[in-house]
Every structure is written in structure tokens, then in C-alpha cells.
Amino acid sequence: MPQEDHVYSYSAVLMGSPILLKLFQHNEHLAHQVFRLIKHYENLLTVNRSPSEVMNINHAAGLHPVVVNPAVYQLIKCAKAASLLPNSAFNLAIGPLVKCWKIGFQGSSVPPAGEISARLALTSPHQVILDDEQHSVFLAQAGMELDLGAIAKGYIADRVRDFLHSQQVFQGLINLGGNVQTLGGASQVSGTPWSVGLKKPFAGPDELIGVIEVEGKSVVTSGTYERWFEFAGKRYHHILDPRTGYPLDNELHSVTIVSQDSIDGDIWTTLMYGMGVEQGCACLANKPGIEAIFVTKDRRVVLSSQQLFTFTLQDSSYQLV
Ligand code: ADP
Ligand code: MG
């Protein structure tokens, strides 16, 4: 394919993930600016090291409100709204539970039930008090902690897209490790989509169930196979159920969301985890801009609808529904 000759790839390791940028021009300066932008937002949003704006909020829990950067404020406001949806599995105040499970870090055992229930009491999104005038955030109880780990990549992927648009770049791809945001198509010949692999759970990094094709859309996958530990013969993964304090346990191995904005992909992967296939598909029937690809433990691939992407199954041990 001659058009492949025009794709230039740039990579870096940021946010603990390999980052890949694809452009249709050789422009190291632009790539450098993109990686700097990612680093800038990572520094604002991280909860794993000080100083960051989110860490400042957490450190002031139960003490006083903290005025934050307007962008951080808007992201927190959006995350709070998602957390307050009826029966939402997404919770921006999940921090105390994430810290006690430590999944993906050094966690390797199930915390005592008493500790989980004590931490659960510190995760109410209602207790995240926002002030639109001041752009301040106040965690009303001592011990509360915001965790934006589920949405930071999506938010940043959208900012990279907006930055590239501002530089008159309308074709390209940014992959933040699980979050792929595409600009335009995959070739200067119009009508050529980008291909994004749907990973096979608990298999080698290059093993795919199939391929998702999109143009100018975000593709976000969240899987129980990404970060987990095994304890007494049972697997515990990193997406926690804010209603119980334990990892979400249902028929799913992964959820992929195709949408315009990657932040929506991030929020909806978590919401869909909480709902499962049947309820999730029913919910998305009224949401034309958000489409889901569910991969179940019994090897079904369920598409909620297919307006924004095409999907090609490659692994015949899976059944497309
Ligand atoms: P990744 O893409 O890094 O695998 P996800 O987007 O699936 O991660 O988000 C998982 C991360 O989000 C966890 O590591 C934790 O920090 C946080 N988290 C876990 N459970 C929830 C939840 N129910 N709501 C919001 N954030 C969560
Ligand atoms: Mg996510």
C-alpha cells in the first residue's frame, strides 16, 4: 500500500503506558509538543505522586476546599455527574478503595471485610463539594480521595486531538494504552479507516479477537485482564464495584466503547461493566453516539449497535452476536 509510506510513528512512555502517535508528516517538533501536553495533564491529574492538583484536593480532605485549574475543575465536575447517574458503577471518589486493594501495584491479597466497609463509607460522590465560582473542590470527610485513573487517559486523548486540530492537523492517531483517539482516516486517500485491534483476554499482547475500523472516533477498551492478581484460586481485577467495594464480577472480560470523545469512552466502559451485556445494550439503545463491544467469558462478542464502526471477527473460537 503506497499510502503507508506517509505514516510516521512516534512513541514515548508516559502515565506508565507506551504512547504511540501517528502522523502523516515527519514532524518531530509536533510530536514533542504532543508528548509535552500529555505530561502536563498527567502532572495535574495523577494520584500516585505529589504534587498534582488532584493530590492537593485529596490532602485537604475534611479540611478545606482547594482551588484548581479550570480544566481540572471541569473534568471533576463531569466525573461527579457520571458518578451520580442512577446505580452508576463509576465513582470518582473510589480512591480509598483503590488504595487498599492496590491492584496493579503491589496488591496480592484480599483486604479484610472490615477495612473494605470502612473505606466504602469514604467514597460518597455527594461528599465531593464543587464551587463553580471559585473552581474549588472540597472533599467533605477526612480520608476521602479522588481517583481519576479511569478517565484521565480519555480526557488527555481528547486534548491531544484538540491540540492537533489547532495545529491544522486533521489526520492522525494517538494511542495512550487502551485509549485510541483517531483523527480522520488512515490514509490521505479518503474513506480509509483506522484499524484498532480488539485484544484477546488473557492471551499474548498481539493476539486479537478481531479488528475495529473507525474514522475520526475514539476506541476505548477496559478489560479485567489488564491488571489483576490471583488469591486462593480466584482472580481479582482493578475495576471496583463502588456499591460493594469488591472488583466487579459478572459475565464480562472486556468492554470497548466507540464514541466521538474518549472521555465518554472511559466513562461508559465503566458504566457498562456495572450493567453487564443485557442492561448495557438496553441503555445504549437510547444513546446513538455511544456504542459498545462486549467480550464475555463464554466467548461471545456482543455489539450494542454498529453505526460508528465496522468489526471483523478473526478468532473463530469467539461467536459474534
Ligand atoms: P485502564 O485503562 O488503566 O485499565 P480503566 O480505565 O479501566 O483503567 O480504569 C481503572 C482504574 O480506575 C483503576 O485502576 C482505578 O484507579 C480506577 N477505578 C477502579 N474502579 C473504579 C470505579 N468503579 N469508578 C471509577 N474509577 C475506578
Ligand atoms: Mg478507562
Side-chain angles (χ1 to χ4, degrees), residues 89 243 250-251 268 270-280 283:
R243 299 157 291 200
N250 56 23
E251 81 267 50
W268 283 88
T270 309
L271 294 178
M272 289 295 107
Y273 254 114
M275 291 185 201
V277 175
E278 199 175 321
Q279 219 192 320
C283 173

Side-chain angles (χ1 to χ4, degrees), residues 24-82:
F24 285 88
Q25 48 176 290
H26 180 52
N27 191 337
E28 271 177 23
H29 177 63
L30 186 64
H32 182 69
Q33 285 178 301
V34 166
F35 294 139
R36 245 202 354 227
L37 187 71
I38 295 169
K39 188 79 201 148
H40 165 73
Y41 281 112
E42 180 190 8
N43 289 342
L44 290 176
L45 300 174
T46 184
V47 289
N48 296 319
R49 58 185 150 72
S50 276
S52 84
E53 295 229 318
V54 179
M55 289 290 271
N56 292 344
I57 296 167
N58 291 349
H59 285 148
L63 297 174
H64 56 80
V66 174
V67 175
V68 292
N69 167 308
V72 175
Y73 184 80
Q74 289 309 326
L75 179 62
I76 291 172
K77 189 169 172 163
C78 163
K80 181 179 173 182

Side-chain angles (χ1 to χ4, degrees), residues 219-250:
V219 181
V220 177
T221 298
S222 190
T224 58
Y225 53 84
E226 284 172 58
R227 284 186 270 147
W228 52 277
F229 66 79
E230 205 166 277
F231 183 68
K234 196 173 165 0
R235 227 177 243 154
Y236 295 87
H237 63 78
H238 71 309
I239 304 161
L240 301 175
D241 187 339
R243 299 157 291 200
T244 64
Y246 289 81
L248 273 159
D249 193 12
N250 56 23

